[in-house]
Amino acid sequence: MSKETMEFQAETKQLLDLMVNSIYTNKEIFLRELISNASDAIDKLHFESLTNREMLEGDENFEIFLVPDKNSHTLTISDNGIGMNRDEVVENIGTIAKSGTKAFLEQMAKAKSEGVSEKDLIGQFGVGFYSAFMVADKVTLVTRRAGSEKNSATRWESTGDGSYTIEECEKESRGTIITLELKSEFFGEESELNLTDDWEIRQLVKKYSDYVRYPIKMNFEIEESKKDDDGNPIEGEKITRSEIRTVNSMQPLWTRPKSELKDEDYREFFKQQFREWEEPLEYFHTKAEGTVEYTALLCIPKRAPFNLYYSDFEAGVQLYSRHVFIMDKCKDLLPDYLRFIKGLVDSPDLSLNISRELLQQSRELKQIGRALEKSILKQLSKILESDRSKYETFWNEFGKSFKIGIYNSMYGNRDTVDKLKDLLMFASSKDQNLTTLKEYVSRMPESQKKIFYATAKDRETIESLPQMETLKEKGFEVLYLLDPVDEFTLETLHEYSEKHFQSIARGDLDLDDAESQEVKKETEEIAKTSEDLLKSIKDSLGEKISEAKISTRLKSSAVCLVASEQGPSISMEQTFAEMKNPMFKAQRILEINPKHALFEKLQQLHESKDDAKFKDACELLYDQALLIEGILPENPVAFANRVADLMARA
Ligand code: ADP
């Protein structure tokens, strides 16, 4: 096939623009990105070759080779990994398929419009291959898939503008060679970052890629004294000799004794091994000997990746057996609610030459997973007790996955509830801080029988809810559920410390104290005398509500909408609707405040038998109640017209 010029996809162009215009100050990280890609490519080949040895083409010496060239002003990074065929090059290098990258671009656009520095943002993303354009005017990639014909290799070339060229070529060895034609500021003696200098490149490898598990090799020109026939150096006579050296230490950190390792070693390790930009929030180094033997090195990153809850997020830790790499993202080791954990497990009890499927079912893997899950949760409760602010940082980043975990356990493992319930945090009416359920319960006054909660998108909305007034007066604390998943979580929990959860927007509040009993009695009496009125309201609103009731929970507002005790709540219904799942409908109950002046007006209207006016009033009431819940009236125009009519009459 002849040479073809192809356009980058729009999003790729955007990303390239960012790289070419180099908004990221720390440009040297491009090397780590390319070395990581090379190392990943070798992993892939290694893994596939377990079942298909022919792919190795007789060469099992995996390596990455770096060639900085002072004469041509280039830096070449090559690997003998899996390589790519033409379609894979177009697919992997020409497009951005990952929603993580899309999310990144969206964040960038947002940052721009909000005046946030882009530099602060870019550090949170692995931008991968394209980072090469931060230092290069032109990038050439020549690659051949392991096991394919020697003349079926692919050459890809781009200067980072809108397009790239692609053509067929020959390549003797399998794998990928990437050649960077360096921008003028990245070569030469004067350059601050001289990428054609052997020693500078060596430093970068040491700094960013020391633990890469394949040898990263370079050819060094070594100057030494000439030796005479007896091997003694001859004064004043020098020769240069070239020698290939491995520049990364490769020694797996976790094989070194704990006592030898310093905090910085671990912190640096996680950054290198898992392409993290920041040091971890917390890390664990555990060794176990017994029925199963293993070493685990795990961490909680400081920040949640943007795609943590997207389907393209790949959770899982690395698996090794006797320090030999088996697999990159083993999803089956830890439960899904720990999807944010990064790290690795090395165990002689895991078999090397075993298929992914069988490995997933292995008893040893399950045992290790359970033990690690336990120690992670234990560590988290320790942090919760001893370092509140650290725990809150954790919670703000990853709390959602615990909440989803509890919700998901509804259909599976109820154990999850017991494991996680004491680690949950919520905002509350007490103050601006987060509270655990245990703390909430410890503050409950004797007269309070239930754990109250309210849902909305922010504190202000909840604080202005009509139902809040009564509870506030009684000194009952209310949990603020500000994330749509919160309510699902509490629904699944059902109770905490034998106290049931009660939405303040649902069913009967059942406040048991004397005053509430009094109000309840009063309400029942009013309800009795207003039976006709309530029935007429229900009739005139039809299917929109399941019932009209006299309210015990309202103070100054005229109406509110609550959901019945059974079935989804109104905010859950909204969440389902957003997920395009309108099957779940809340039973809406319209509650009317009998102490509000409007109630009397309504009674008068009802008695006047002016059906049209009465119906209008009911519709208005209902729409108001919807608005309080943050839901748009079904017919906003009709609502606006009714309000306008009212104002005209007033
Ligand atoms: P990421 O590595 O995060 O997936 P990159 O932009 O760095 O993103 O790379 C995109 C894809 O290109 C990789 O997922 C991989 O499939 C392919 N790729 C990149 N470098 C190599 C390489 N040296 N050998 C084989 N494939 C590669």
Side-chain angles (χ1 to χ4, degrees), residues 143-297:
T143 183
R144 179 168 73 75
R145 200 163 204 294
S148 69
E149 300 291 331
K150 308 231 146 117
N151 58 6
S152 71
T154 305
R155 173 194 296 275
W156 177 101
E157 232 169 50
S158 176
T159 51
D161 53 9
S163 64
Y164 60 88
T165 62
I166 192 161
E167 68 187 307
E168 205 169 67
C169 66
E170 274 192 38
K171 187 174 185 298
E172 185 52 35
S173 56
R174 64 158 193 257
T176 305
I177 303 175
I178 293 168
T179 306
L180 311 179
E181 283 181 31
L182 297 167
K183 294 184 181 192
S184 57
E185 61 269 40
F186 298 110
F187 59 82
E189 297 293 321
E190 260 92 80
S191 171
E192 243 175 78
L193 179 65
N194 182 0
L195 298 175
T196 56
D197 184 82
D198 300 345
W199 298 100
E200 204 145 339
I201 294 292
R202 183 176 171 272
Q203 285 309 318
L204 291 182
V205 173
K206 275 272 172 225
K207 181 165 170 196
Y208 293 108
S209 312
D210 198 44
Y211 299 116
V212 167
R213 56 186 163 270
Y214 303 104
I216 301 170
K217 295 181 177 172
M218 286 175 72
N219 194 2
F220 287 89
E221 297 291 313
I222 310 220
E223 199 172 78
E224 56 189 14
S225 301
K226 204 173 170 181
K227 294 185 179 122
D228 61 20
D229 293 345
D230 300 329
N232 299 319
I234 307 171
E235 193 78 24
E237 280 194 56
K238 300 268 183 218
I239 53 158
T240 47
R241 174 173 69 77
S242 62
E243 184 183 300
I244 292 175
R245 288 186 183 171
T246 298
V247 282
N248 54 330
S249 69
M250 287 193 296
Q251 189 194 10
L253 182 91
W254 63 98
T255 60
R256 287 163 52 190
K258 265 182 167 180
S259 57
E260 235 182 54
L261 293 166
K262 291 195 290 292
D263 199 38
E264 299 111 78
D265 296 327
Y266 287 113
R267 294 183 177 280
E268 206 41 53
F269 170 79
F270 283 108
K271 285 206 294 194
Q272 287 197 18
Q273 183 91 1
F274 302 103
R275 298 207 219 177
E276 282 290 312
W277 301 78
E278 290 174 299
E279 294 179 346
L281 184 71
E282 181 73 16
Y283 61 81
F284 319 82
H285 186 183
T286 31
K287 270 182 204 280
E289 274 151 18
T291 41
V292 277
E293 199 180 306
Y294 64 87
T295 301
L297 210 49

Side-chain angles (χ1 to χ4, degrees), residues 559-577:
V559 280
C560 74
L561 209 55
V562 300
S564 64
E565 208 65 70
Q566 303 300 318
S569 70
I570 290 165
S571 69
M572 284 164 97
E573 173 192 300
Q574 296 300 304
T575 309
F576 281 123

Side-chain angles (χ1 to χ4, degrees), residues 120-135:
D120 292 340
L121 255 181
I122 195 165
Q124 298 169 39
F125 295 86
V127 283
F129 177 78
Y130 297 104
S131 60
F133 287 99
M134 296 199 293
V135 297

